[in-house]
Amino acid sequence: FAFVLFDDDRDADDAIKYRDGYDFDGYKLRVERCRGGRGRGGSPGRYGGYRGKIELKEEVEGRNRQEFIPNWFTADVRTGMLTVHLDEGECFSAWVCIVEEGDNKINYGGLILQGLLQHWNPPGTTLPDPEFKPKQCDLPPHTPFALVEGSDGCGRTLFRIRVDETCVEKDSRILEELIPTWVHNLKVKNEMPRFTKIAFYIEQYSDDPPPKSREGRLSANDFLVISKVIEYVADKILGTPDTPSPPLQDIAIFCNKQRLQSHMDLRTVKHTIWKSGSDLRLMYLVTQNSSISASGSG
């Protein structure tokens, strides 16, 4: 998405009239006014139209999400070819938790590999019951992709092929020789790897925290989101039989003195904020007037 500002409200109307629904390189553009309430007194808002005033910077920050994306495949923007790096650790580091589906856990790396190989029937193997359909990304048959050794971007290209060509007998046998065991097991047995764990500490906020010790060391799946850490702090650290825990919205989690957004996962925090190979160190702070204070915090 993008925000476009016009000095004249009529220019915004023309943009909507002539570009909403416009075919742009195979994609249909959607052009509309920035959503918002009606301005006071019926006067035009800052961004044209009759809306309440909004700040562009705040709107952009509210929509932006900082995420860590494992670098196990790339896409050539000229040819549209996916380059898949056959590194098991990197590929399967793409676990995510779908809260809307009851905290169902899926692995995007596995889904994409299964989609690329959806037409491949390994020679001499018995595939699962045809009625068994594992979750996968159904990719267009003409999608080209390349298999590359390793994940450092310097690996040797093993094979280039299209999704619909993987069922050709000759190409199928070449894939059988090139594909590592873990990819073969993913396709034939639908075997997903174990979750990746991240070790971390959670302690009260301080500008000068004490040295770490092994005591209090925790471990969780790398896709655990900060909102779950907040729940843990409220329930296990701040909550007592005599003193109720503060509202979740009053608890903030910090890393390297940067407040973390509740949707961020531990993997993103470790790679983009902590940036260290040592155990992750998080701090909590009660941010508003509450029955529990953060005495001694910075």
Side-chain angles (χ1 to χ4, degrees):
F1 72 91
F3 290 98
V4 181
L5 282 70
F6 295 94
D7 293 329
D8 192 321
D9 193 54
R10 292 171 296 181
D11 293 333
D13 291 332
D14 288 341
I16 296 173
K17 180 179 179 180
Y18 294 108
R19 284 295 178 261
D20 186 35
Y22 180 79
D23 186 283
F24 180 75
D25 195 24
Y27 295 90
K28 183 170 291 186
L29 297 181
R30 181 177 179 181
V31 183
E32 59 184 2
R33 291 188 178 277
C34 183
R35 298 173 183 176
R38 194 174 184 86
R40 293 182 179 178
S43 59
R46 175 180 175 182
Y47 300 104
Y50 293 89
R51 298 177 308 283
K53 183 177 180 180
I54 63 172
E55 292 293 336
L56 178 60
K57 182 178 180 181
E58 293 179 1
E59 185 74 11
V60 172
E61 290 178 351
R63 292 174 178 262
N64 280 346
R65 294 171 66 98
Q66 188 174 15
E67 302 282 355
F68 169 71
I69 308 298
N71 186 28
W72 65 274
F73 79 91
T74 56
D76 190 315
V77 295
R78 294 174 299 176
T79 65
M81 178 174 290
L82 294 177
T83 300
V84 180
H85 304 280
L86 295 179
D87 182 291
E88 183 177 7
E90 290 294 326
C91 173
F92 286 143
S93 63
W95 281 107
V96 295
C97 184
I98 308 300
V99 178
E100 293 80 2
E101 297 185 10
D103 285 349
N104 187 29
K105 300 169 181 61
I106 63 174
N107 188 288
Y108 278 126
L111 291 180
I112 293 178
L113 275 177
Q114 287 174 327
L116 292 172
L117 301 174
Q118 59 187 296
H119 301 297
W120 179 51
N121 295 328
T125 59
T126 302
L127 293 177
D129 189 322
E131 295 184 359
F132 172 71
K133 295 181 179 180
K135 288 185 177 181
Q136 66 182 30
C137 297
D138 292 324
L139 302 175
H142 61 273
T143 303
F145 65 98
L147 301 177
V148 179
E149 291 179 328
S151 61
D152 56 3
C154 302
R156 177 172 62 96
T157 299
L158 301 175
F159 199 40
R160 291 185 177 90
I161 194 171
R162 292 191 335 188
V163 169
D164 59 353
E165 294 174 340
T166 59
C167 62
V168 178
E169 183 177 357
K170 178 182 176 180
D171 293 330
S172 179
R173 293 189 179 279
I174 294 176
L175 285 173
E176 176 71 12
E177 297 175 359
L178 296 177
I179 281 181
T181 302
W182 59 272
V183 178
H184 185 277
N185 291 340
L186 173 68
K187 168 62 180 179
V188 176
K189 303 178 183 179
N190 195 35
E191 286 187 359
M192 288 290 184
R194 296 180 180 273
F195 301 140
T196 303
K197 298 286 187 178
I198 286 184
F200 66 99
Y201 295 86
I202 180 72
E203 53 202 356
Q204 191 176 38
Y205 188 95
S206 173
D207 287 327
D208 187 21
K212 288 188 301 185
S213 66
R214 298 288 295 182
E215 184 178 357
R217 186 172 184 260
L218 303 172
S219 178
N221 297 327
D222 62 358
F223 53 80
L224 183 78
V225 292
I226 296 302
S227 60
K228 295 294 185 181
V229 178
I230 292 175
E231 292 178 8
Y232 175 85
V233 170
D235 183 44
K236 303 297 184 181
I237 299 179
L238 299 178
T240 66
D242 300 326
T243 307
S245 59
L248 297 182
Q249 64 267 24
D250 291 353
I251 302 174
I253 304 296
F254 292 81
C255 179
N256 279 344
K257 298 184 178 181
Q258 179 177 334
R259 183 169 182 172
L260 305 179
Q261 296 174 321
S262 61
H263 67 264
M264 297 178 73
D265 55 38
L266 295 181
R267 174 179 52 206
T268 299
V269 175
K270 185 174 179 67
H271 286 274
T272 64
I273 299 176
W274 183 242
K275 297 180 181 180
S276 172
S278 61
D279 292 343
L280 183 62
R281 194 167 191 176
L282 305 177
M283 296 185 176
Y284 68 87
L285 178 68
V286 179
T287 58
Q288 297 184 3
N289 295 331
S290 177
S291 59
I292 299 178
S293 62
S295 59
S297 61

